Amino acid sequence: MGHGHHHHHHRDGQHHGHAHGHGHGHAAPPDRWDRAFAIGIGLNLAYVAAEAAAGFAFGSMALLADAGHNLSDVLGLAVAWGGAALARKAPSKRFTYGLKGSTILAALANALLLLVAIGAIALEAVQRFGQPPHVPGLAVSAVAAAGVAVNALTAWLFARGREGDVNIRGAYLHMAADALVSAGVVVAGIAIYLTGIGWIDPLVSLVIAAVIFAQTWGLLRETVEMSLAAVPRGIDYDRVQAALAALPGVGEVHDLHIWPMSTTEPGLTAHLCIPAGHPGDEFLRTTQAMLHDRFGIGHATIQVETGGACVLAPADRV
């Protein structure tokens, strides 16, 4: 469907009805975070290999489940790192927004792969309830304790930037939560050692699988929403519309769209009807600054209309 856009231009060429604002409401991690990502991924990959080997050697499904969970950490860190790198890529004539949207696709693929892994873990754990193998509880606890240390150290690497960057905060919270999951395996190993009850191990692996599923389901829902260009979570559409309508001289706001350009950067387009005439470039700059400061929207395109009907004016038109 073709869309007709009315662009208002002053004859002096100084004021334009269509304004484009660049910026980053949720800036991607700068270069200084590359080292933190590299160290975090390296630590977790080494631990995943060691934990998986120990899980097979000891016959512990809890360790294997936790290894799968920690592998998801590696994927999550890699996605966050990839997003940071892609955010620095310049747009091209083919990809006019750059490759920022690929972080959404990567996160979606990550969620789908994790669901498959969860199914495999749960199936194996259920089968082991009938004939639980002998599991050396203290050895399992020792391996999991190393996981607590690795996850806590990785979380610490990102603690410094968690307040100023959503992407970094996500990495920090993921690793901090996983330290708690590994702590649960430590407790299970001690419980097996003290009681000799073998089914504690597959039970804990099911609990871990449930924790992973809870995280993965939320990730899946959010990435599907992003893939469908839904308004990013944390941004209230009505509040943004009200803020634009409250600007001086604005009589109507229509064709308002807010969507995720990547997992960390939202974009916005809107038509503002200003019957008194174009308010000038300073109005546009002030509007873009307001959207950035109040809502974290750094990439805004505002079209000013001073009269006449717009074909996109009805709220249900796209």
Side-chain angles (χ1 to χ4, degrees):
M1 177 180 176
H3 290 167
H5 290 266
H6 171 70
H7 297 262
H8 177 80
H9 300 273
H10 277 212
R11 292 183 180 178
D12 59 8
Q14 296 301 309
H15 296 160
H16 302 278
H18 190 97
H20 197 68
H22 292 277
H24 301 280
H26 300 294
D31 292 343
R32 71 174 184 272
W33 293 112
D34 287 349
R35 184 177 180 181
F37 278 119
I39 293 174
I41 289 174
L43 283 174
N44 279 272
L45 275 178
Y47 178 68
V48 165
E51 188 176 34
F56 282 115
F58 300 146
S60 171
M61 270 306 298
L63 280 180
L64 290 175
D66 194 42
H69 194 192
N70 283 291
L71 184 59
S72 77
D73 299 341
V74 176
L75 294 175
L77 289 174
V79 167
W81 194 7
L86 289 171
R88 299 195 289 264
K89 296 291 185 181
S92 66
K93 292 181 180 179
R94 177 66 173 169
F95 298 98
T96 56
Y97 279 124
L99 299 176
K100 295 173 182 174
S102 60
T103 58
I104 298 174
L105 297 179
L108 179 59
N110 190 357
L112 294 174
L113 289 173
L114 281 170
L115 289 178
V116 174
I118 291 168
I121 291 171
L123 178 63
E124 180 67 19
V126 169
Q127 292 174 345
R128 289 199 175 201
F129 268 110
Q131 294 180 327
H134 172 71
V135 176
L138 290 183
V140 168
S141 292
V143 174
V148 175
V150 168
N151 286 320
L153 176 59
T154 308
W156 175 79
L157 290 173
F158 298 102
R160 187 161 52 102
R162 69 184 187 275
E163 298 300 329
D165 190 299
V166 173
N167 207 18
I168 296 295
R169 189 185 311 151
Y172 168 81
L173 291 175
H174 196 167
M175 301 310 303
D178 292 340
L180 295 178
V181 172
S182 294
V185 179
V186 173
V187 173
I190 294 174
I192 292 172
Y193 173 76
L194 294 176
T195 66
I197 300 176
W199 53 259
I200 291 177
D201 181 79
L203 176 64
V204 170
S205 69
L206 284 178
V207 172
I208 294 174
V211 172
I212 303 172
F213 178 80
Q215 293 181 349
T216 303
W217 184 250
L219 175 65
L220 180 63
R221 286 184 58 188
E222 188 165 2
T223 51
V224 168
E225 290 173 1
M226 286 183 168
S227 300
L228 296 174
V231 176
R233 296 186 182 187
I235 296 179
D236 189 322
Y237 180 96
D238 291 332
R239 287 185 60 205
V240 174
Q241 186 175 46
L244 291 172
L247 293 171
V250 174
E252 181 187 357
V253 178
H254 59 258
D255 199 37
L256 172 60
H257 298 281
I258 311 169
W259 74 99
M261 296 170 58
S262 72
T263 52
T264 59
E265 185 177 356
L268 174 148
T269 61
H271 290 197
L272 304 183
C273 182
I274 304 179
H278 197 290
D281 290 346
E282 183 59 32
F283 170 86
L284 298 173
R285 283 190 288 268
T286 301
T287 299
Q288 289 155 4
M290 179 273 291
L291 291 170
H292 176 277
D293 296 342
R294 289 184 56 183
F295 304 104
I297 300 173
H299 192 113
T301 303
I302 304 297
Q303 179 168 313
V304 172
E305 298 167 352
T306 59
C310 176
V311 296
L312 298 178
D316 59 351
R317 295 293 296 276
V318 177

